[in-house]
Amino acid sequence: MLTELSLSGFLAFAMAYPLCFLANAGAAIDRGFYRFNLGVACFILSLGLFAMLFAGPRAGARGAGSLPPAVLPVLAGVWLVALLAVTWSQWERPRPNLLLVALPSVLGAAVTAAAAVARSPAAAAPFGAAALTLLGGLTLGMALYCMVLGHWYLNVERLPIAILARAVTVYTALLALRLVWDAVGLAAGTVPYQGYPLPLHAFVATLDGFLVVVAVFFGVLFPLVANVLVQRTLRAKSTQAATGILYVVVVAAIIGDFSYRFFLLRYGVVL
């Protein structure tokens, strides 16, 4: 299960992280910031490719309609080469072409979605499993992006606070979208449990399903409240305090994201 969680998380994060640059399109951030973050995306995608090579087929996973097992690692390898090529081409530019940087994520989204569908339990809705995986990657990616951007204020003088505020706003919007998704899922969703379809809100009351509360709290509720504090701190022009809060948010986001992915891979819970 650890390999499964790592594979899903690495691919989704590597797909989403280059897209996070679009939150601050046109902003005057030095090229060292882009270099660091592109390097992070390449490294995480490399880990995802290794996890895919060693994971092997998943017992009980969806088979019908999925790609042959040998195809996904090849596509992931092409994705990695494309991301490395884009990183190399933009390395010396003061401001990279963000649309070009985001282009490999198109292939990445297809690979990540296909891997999510192929490795999820047959009970999981294919569209829901793919969409959940991609949305989880975006929320986790924006959490880390905001934290790294906040840290950059400690190194770069006179960086406008509006840049970080805009990124936090985008992150908050993604969290709000996931909160709505969760509310609908808990109200109307079902999960196979002990051989019977159980309403999702009833599943949460069981011992196995109680940790769904952990996923929702750490993955959505806590970051939403923390983002409000971050915005208030930024209005007081205290970027150092805001960055400290964002460090805590990243830890919570990782716990929440992996909890969500566990329930998707174990029970087919699309939250």
Side-chain angles (χ1 to χ4, degrees), residues 55-249:
R58 185 175 189 268
R62 185 186 309 275
S66 61
L67 294 172
V71 173
L72 279 179
V74 173
L75 292 178
V78 174
W79 173 19
L80 177 58
V81 170
L83 183 58
L84 288 170
V86 167
T87 300
W88 176 79
S89 70
Q90 302 298 303
W91 194 257
E92 296 297 335
R93 293 174 61 94
R95 296 186 190 177
N97 185 328
L98 298 186
L99 291 179
L100 182 61
V101 168
L103 195 58
S105 293
V106 176
L107 175 59
V111 173
T112 303
V117 172
R119 309 189 77 86
S120 298
F127 173 79
L132 169 64
T133 301
L134 297 178
L135 180 58
L138 285 170
T139 53
L140 181 58
M142 278 304 303
L144 184 63
Y145 176 83
C146 290
M147 185 270 287
V148 173
L149 180 58
H151 186 78
W152 222 254
Y153 281 78
L154 306 179
N155 303 322
V156 180
E157 296 182 357
R158 299 178 182 177
L159 194 61
I161 292 179
I163 297 176
L164 180 55
R166 189 194 311 173
V168 174
T169 299
V170 173
Y171 179 36
T172 302
L174 290 172
L175 291 172
L177 175 62
R178 183 150 207 176
L179 182 61
V180 173
W181 179 305
D182 288 352
V184 173
L186 287 170
T190 60
V191 55
Y193 184 65
Q194 296 182 350
Y196 299 95
L198 188 67
L200 198 49
H201 60 269
F203 174 70
V204 172
T206 67
L207 183 60
D208 290 330
F210 178 74
L211 288 179
V212 172
V213 177
V214 174
V216 176
F217 176 78
F218 285 103
V220 177
L221 297 179
F222 180 84
L224 272 174
V225 174
N227 281 358
V228 173
L229 298 178
V230 169
Q231 292 286 25
R232 291 184 177 181
T233 305
L234 290 177
R235 284 196 288 270
K237 302 190 182 302
S238 178
T239 56
Q240 187 171 3
T243 303
I245 299 173
L246 288 170
Y247 273 103
V248 180
V249 169

